[in-house]
Amino acid sequence: MKEQFDPASRIQDMLQFDEFGGVNPAITDSATYTFLDAETMTETFLGHTEGCFLYSRHWNPSNKFLADAIAAMEDTQSAWVTASGMSAITCSILQLCKAGDHIITSVTTYGGTFAFLKNYLPKFNIEVSFVDITDLDSVKGEIRPNTRLIYTESITNPLLQVSDIPSLASIARNRGIILMVDNTFTPMMITPARLGADIVVYSLTKFINGKNDCVAGAICGSLDFVNSLSNVNDGTAMLMGPVLDPMRSSSILKNLHTLHIRMKQHSSNAMYIASELKKLGLAVRYPGLPDHPQYTLLNTILNKEYGYGGMITLELESLALANEFMRMMQMEGVGYLAVSLGYFKTLFSNSGKSTSSEVPKELQRKMGLTEGLVRFSIGLDNNINRSMEKMKECMRKLNII
Ligand code: PLP
């Protein structure tokens, strides 16, 4: 029988310790590095040396430890870490695309990504087509001779559509197009590179770090691509300079080692909440419920043991009701009214008025993002039944149930 890919074991099997035997790699607290001779410095600038560090905007050993662990988890040749998820996305796109190129993207993506694609790239004469990524014919229909990139999220923000990564990869490969996937919602659950994605990007800010104490990102792909990003002459990451602080990369690396446990708990708690909301007859969307339109597809691409993830949406009648419900849930201690996700506590926000507010109202309506949609990132609660009871109490008070 084919052995299932296990991202957690890939991380566990890495031997990363410091030069004095400390079990955690030491933090390299230096912006610059000495060379024993000037010739080696020149060779390093030319990219001819292995394992030499020249300046921390280029590479820092602590960042390298984190990048290596993430590459192991994603089963890619290499990875690069950045100071935010947005810089991982923007550097990757700008590294790949030039003026005159064309990108096809899912219309439902994180609002910052949408804004970059819609409002920022036209400055560089890069055209973008926005499609329903679950409609493969419309993806194919948008391909042009200058299409360079197909961009999507494994599970989209905020509508929780599941991207058919294997089919998108084969569409892209046949036409010499690159497939880039944002896997922020589904680390460990989905391994996009094993399904055919060329580049995988992350906001590490979310589930991977899990503590909401910093903003960070990662880019995973071939060694050639990562080297191109860091090229001193034309590497976008090197020249734009969104470098992650090594103190932070060190703490993210330690948190990465508990990601598998956290993902399982996020998933089982979310499954419980989603099932209970469903029983109450509410308009809940969760990719782990059999009535989710891509439930069957998702089951074919999941690394099974991590569940269906921690993200749920609930559609309420109006914005006013959604706002009042969130205010009450925060007062009752269900979680926090805050954007972001992947935190140990439950977070909730109204997507249309927050993380997708960059998407024009008309388009929000067209893609099915309703005014009263509340997006939940379900936390690690030990007693999720208790949290559900608190949620129900709020619903009763507001006559939602
Ligand atoms: N990708 C997704 C799916 C996100 O939800 C976010 C932020 O919410 C980002 C990327 C951007 O990440 P960051 O805030 O770390 O820049």
Side-chain angles (χ1 to χ4, degrees):
M1 207 174 81
K2 202 167 140 227
E3 205 181 308
Q4 177 140 353
F5 179 71
D6 181 6
S9 299
R10 293 295 289 271
I11 296 170
Q12 193 183 342
D13 288 349
M14 298 203 72
L15 293 179
Q16 293 185 310
F17 40 83
D18 89 357
E19 58 186 307
F20 302 111
V23 291
N24 291 310
I27 301 172
T28 301
D29 197 19
S30 291
T32 194
Y33 303 83
T34 58
F35 288 84
L36 290 179
D37 54 71
E39 289 77 15
T40 315
M41 181 187 276
T42 307
E43 287 296 304
T44 305
F45 265 88
L46 292 171
H48 296 165
T49 49
E50 276 277 313
C52 281
F53 292 91
L54 56 91
Y55 187 63
S56 280
R57 174 158 44 80
H58 182 250
W59 267 116
N60 170 292
S62 305
N63 291 1
K64 183 89 173 85
F65 281 122
L66 176 60
D68 286 349
I70 291 174
M73 171 173 86
E74 292 306 316
D75 203 20
T76 54
Q77 276 181 338
S78 190
W80 175 270
V81 290
T82 57
S84 67
M86 275 316 293
S87 56
I89 294 164
T90 56
C91 283
S92 300
I93 293 176
L94 291 175
Q95 187 65 30
L96 289 167
C97 297
K98 59 177 185 334
D101 283 347
H102 170 244
I103 298 172
I104 300 170
T105 179
S106 165
V107 65
T108 65
T109 55
Y110 164 60
T113 309
F114 176 87
F116 178 72
L117 293 163
K118 176 97 180 136
N119 308 328
Y120 202 90
L121 286 184
K123 285 207 286 195
F124 300 99
N125 192 23
I126 296 170
E127 282 183 297
V128 184
S129 301
F130 295 84
V131 297
D132 172 355
I133 205 71
T134 62
D135 178 356
L136 296 175
D137 286 334
S138 86
V139 174
K140 282 188 211 153
E142 285 297 333
I143 294 178
R144 306 175 192 168
N146 60 340
T147 303
R148 176 80 173 126
L149 184 68
I150 298 177
Y151 183 90
T152 191
E153 295 170 354
S154 305
I155 292 189
T156 66
N157 185 0
L159 293 182
L160 309 183
Q161 293 171 308
V162 180
S163 294
D164 184 346
I165 301 171
S167 300
L168 290 169
S170 111
I171 293 170
R173 204 175 309 115
N174 288 340
R175 305 290 289 265
I177 298 167
I178 287 163
L179 176 64
M180 189 186 301
V181 177
D182 179 338
N183 202 40
T184 299
F185 277 22
T186 47
M188 297 207 160
M189 291 165 51
I190 296 177
T191 311
R194 289 183 66 87
L195 302 169
D198 301 290
I199 296 164
V200 183
V201 285
Y202 272 109
S203 168
L204 302 180
T205 317
K206 312 293 166 23
F207 289 102
I208 290 190
N209 187 50
K211 304 291 187 292
N212 246 302
D213 54 6
C214 71
V215 173
I219 304 165
C220 313
S222 69
L223 186 58
D224 278 351
F225 183 63
V226 171
N227 284 344
S228 74
L229 286 164
S230 60
N231 186 295
V232 295
N233 291 305
D234 60 4
T236 313
M238 183 63 185
L239 300 179
M240 300 279 181
V243 65
L244 180 59
D245 187 278
M247 306 264 187
R248 279 307 181 190
S249 61
S250 162
S251 70
I252 298 169
L253 177 60
K254 283 171 273 193
N255 292 334
L256 184 67
H257 282 273
T258 59
L259 178 62
H260 58 297
I261 302 167
R262 291 185 280 113
M263 284 314 291
K264 289 176 196 174
Q265 183 78 358
H266 283 299
S267 289
S268 70
N269 280 354
M271 181 60 111
Y272 179 80
I273 298 277
S275 307
E276 289 297 304
L277 292 172
K278 186 101 236 162
K279 276 189 220 157
L280 293 169
L282 298 170
V284 57
R285 188 175 304 153
Y286 181 62
L289 294 178
D291 67 354
H292 186 283
Q294 290 93 37
Y295 174 75
T296 311
L297 163 69
L298 181 57
N299 278 303
T300 66
I301 63 175
L302 278 179
N303 296 319
K304 293 280 182 296
E305 62 189 297
Y306 302 102
Y308 296 90
M311 305 302 293
I312 295 177
T313 65
L314 176 65
E315 273 179 59
L316 296 175
E317 243 161 56
S318 67
L319 176 62
L321 185 60
N323 285 348
E324 189 50 18
F325 179 49
M326 293 190 294
R327 193 189 64 77
M328 266 194 186
M329 284 195 295
Q330 180 161 255
M331 298 292 287
E332 287 293 326
V334 175
Y336 292 140
L337 201 181
V339 295
S340 205
L341 51 123
Y343 186 41
F344 44 75
K345 276 181 172 271
T346 293
L347 301 177
F348 35 82
S349 56
N350 175 273
S351 297
K353 294 286 175 203
S354 60
T355 51
S356 291
S357 58
E358 298 89 342
V359 181
K361 245 185 160 172
E362 190 44 46
L363 188 54
Q364 287 192 16
R365 243 193 307 274
K366 215 170 130 200
M367 71 197 214
L369 174 49
T370 54
E371 276 211 332
L373 183 134
V374 177
R375 189 194 73 179
F376 289 85
S377 166
I378 303 296
L380 301 175
D381 314 26
N382 187 44
N383 186 344
I384 195 65
N385 178 283
R386 181 169 152 265
S387 309
M388 185 67 224
E389 287 310 313
K390 288 181 186 178
M391 220 189 258
K392 278 192 198 162
E393 192 48 38
C394 300
M395 290 184 179
R396 277 186 211 106
K397 284 185 186 154
L398 293 170
N399 289 325
I400 295 172
I401 54 172

